[in-house]
Amino acid sequence: MIALKEFDRALGQVVKADSAIKKCILVDRTGLTIAHVSRYSASSVDVDGIGAIASAVFCASEEQGRNLDIGDLLMVSSEFDEGKIFAASCGRGVLCVITDPEVNIGLVRLVMKKATDDLKALLQEFLAEKPIEATAEESTSERAELEAALKELEKF
Amino acid sequence: MAKIRKDSEGRLHFKLVYWGPSLGGKTTSLRYVYDDVEGLDKGGFTSIEDPSGRTLFFDFVPMSASGKILFDVYTVAGQTRHKHQRKVIMRGADGVLFVADSSRSMKQDNIESLQELKDIVGDVLGDQIPLVIALNKRDVDDAMSREEILKDLSLENSSIPVYETIAVKGIGVKRAFQTLSREVLLKQLYGIKTAH
């Protein structure tokens, strides 16, 4: 069982690599935001929404590559007036990095390469299919949460 | 077997997808749940749409019923040309709400949309992946009967939950969402569907 905070540590290293890197989000390929780290804690963006778009855009580009038979997608970069977004494959997930416009692109690519290698292994374990039945004893609290949610759904 | 999707805070996420033909009421249904249904904690409403307001890729809203349980709710773009986008959004779906358009003119579109969904999801649809049907636009003049639509969709003898909805008025929409989310949790907890 991996420590969930391992993701925060790995993403934290990316954000610390350069002052132009503002935010780092790890998503899976279903749109789930697994973890995120920001340079500024006061940042109030809708991270779940950004993660969902990042995952969908990356996966759509992958689909485009498959349709055109041009191989695996390594990285997507989007340039805006006031910032850049980079998204790179890391096994079963996508690492998304948001930067200032004047960021050193070579450095970002290098940092992301290192991070994606680290995250790939973590994600492989984290996203492995784990039936609830098989982990029932250690997942008592999860089961209780699910049952509580069921009760709440009856109320609204 | 069912799997659990977690984030780094240990919250459990379930992905629900509103699917159906173009202009059938998917976004309107989700928007109603987002704007008017109380009792759920909701995040931002993310929408990728064209200048006319039609869904170009997807809508997305995270909702929480209780503590660490989150529903990541998506709609897909219904237009035929967006089929690759729909396939992307369906990845990892835990449950599907099929929003059929009751208008007689949409008969074939309903059939084709459900067939596309079946082609993507496979035999697990309605079994491992819960499916709920919303027959939307029940108030239009040329609305087909419930029986006729279900027969068209080859669901007349199915135990899949069916709700008649009018999304623009919010009728039936909450119940359809509630049933789907409940089915998904029951599936995760006990591997069963409720009887209908």
Side-chain angles (χ1 to χ4, degrees):
Chain A
M1 182 72 180
I2 65 162
L4 296 173
K5 293 300 172 191
E6 285 292 299
F7 290 117
D8 291 342
R9 184 193 55 76
L11 298 186
Q13 286 178 348
V14 174
V15 169
K16 285 176 192 164
D18 191 281
S19 61
I21 298 176
K22 297 195 294 190
K23 185 177 279 297
C24 193
I25 305 173
L26 179 65
V27 294
D28 76 0
R29 287 166 196 251
T30 71
L32 169 66
T33 296
I34 297 168
H36 62 95
V37 170
S38 296
R39 175 166 294 277
Y40 307 109
S41 57
S43 175
S44 61
V45 295
D46 174 10
V47 175
D48 289 329
I50 291 172
I53 293 175
S55 174
V57 167
F58 193 89
C59 291
S61 298
E62 277 187 325
E63 185 76 12
Q64 190 81 303
R66 268 193 291 276
N67 292 338
L68 292 166
D69 198 19
I70 53 174
D72 294 332
L73 177 63
L74 306 175
M75 180 175 277
V76 172
S77 63
S78 310
E79 301 191 14
F80 302 82
D81 289 343
E82 298 179 20
K84 291 183 168 63
I85 301 174
F86 301 88
S89 173
C90 50
R92 299 176 67 178
V94 177
L95 174 65
C96 181
V97 173
I98 295 110
T99 75
D100 288 332
E102 71 280 7
V103 72
N104 181 331
I105 294 174
L107 175 69
V108 171
R109 292 176 74 99
L110 191 66
V111 169
M112 288 182 75
K113 173 75 174 65
K114 166 84 170 58
T116 52
D117 288 345
D118 293 343
L119 288 166
K120 202 179 288 184
L122 282 174
L123 278 170
Q124 186 59 32
E125 185 181 346
F126 185 72
L127 296 177
E129 293 192 5
K130 292 176 182 171
I132 276 191
E133 311 285 38
T135 59
E137 286 183 18
E138 60 191 7
S139 300
T140 308
S141 66
E142 284 175 0
R143 187 170 287 271
E145 289 282 353
L146 288 166
E147 286 172 346
L150 264 174
K151 285 179 187 165
E152 286 299 317
L153 283 171
E154 298 302 325
K155 292 180 189 170
F156 74 83
Chain B
M1 259 318 226
K3 64 178 178 179
I4 303 176
R5 293 156 70 243
K6 278 186 200 171
D7 60 28
S8 66
E9 294 170 27
R11 298 178 302 180
L12 308 183
H13 290 252
F14 297 95
K15 183 172 182 177
L16 311 182
V17 178
Y18 282 43
W19 182 283
S22 181
L23 295 174
K26 300 177 291 298
T27 298
T28 306
S29 297
L30 180 58
R31 183 55 87 172
Y32 178 82
V33 173
Y34 183 76
D35 288 336
D36 295 304
V37 174
E38 295 177 354
L40 290 166
D41 290 330
K42 300 154 194 163
F45 194 106
T46 300
S47 190
I48 301 181
E49 56 189 23
D50 70 14
S52 69
R54 295 182 71 174
T55 305
L56 195 56
F57 201 160
F58 62 88
D59 304 306
F60 165 71
V61 181
M63 300 185 191
S64 171
S66 148
K68 289 192 168 184
I69 308 297
L70 275 92
F71 295 105
D72 295 329
V73 191
Y74 287 78
T75 70
V76 296
Q79 290 168 276
T80 307
R81 64 175 178 271
H82 296 311
K83 67 175 181 179
H84 293 294
Q85 289 98 310
R86 285 193 286 277
K87 193 174 161 191
V88 166
I89 297 305
M90 273 307 295
R91 286 185 184 180
D94 295 297
V96 181
L97 180 68
F98 182 82
V99 182
D101 189 326
S102 298
S103 314
R104 185 163 298 281
S105 58
M106 293 298 284
K107 182 184 178 96
Q108 193 57 32
D109 297 73
N110 289 332
I111 295 168
E112 288 172 6
S113 180
L114 185 60
Q115 188 55 51
E116 184 187 324
L117 177 63
K118 288 178 179 172
D119 291 344
I120 291 173
V121 179
D123 294 339
V124 294
L125 183 66
D127 181 20
Q128 291 299 310
I129 298 180
L131 173 67
V132 171
I133 307 291
L135 306 181
N136 194 34
K137 303 190 186 178
R138 297 308 295 158
D139 57 339
V140 296
D141 291 338
D142 67 339
M144 293 179 284
S145 71
R146 173 190 174 110
E147 291 71 26
E148 186 177 359
I149 302 173
L150 293 179
K151 191 176 178 193
D152 288 342
L153 299 176
S154 303
L155 294 172
E156 68 269 40
N157 297 317
S158 163
S159 63
I160 287 169
V162 179
Y163 291 94
E164 298 188 28
T165 65
I166 304 174
V168 290
K169 295 178 181 171
I171 296 172
V173 172
K174 181 177 89 170
R175 191 65 190 148
F177 171 81
Q178 202 171 18
T179 299
L180 179 63
S181 46
R182 188 166 172 266
E183 294 268 338
V184 167
L185 292 183
L186 284 169
K187 175 65 68 181
Q188 189 65 249
L189 264 169
Y190 307 113
I192 58 167
K193 285 199 302 181
T194 48
H196 297 279

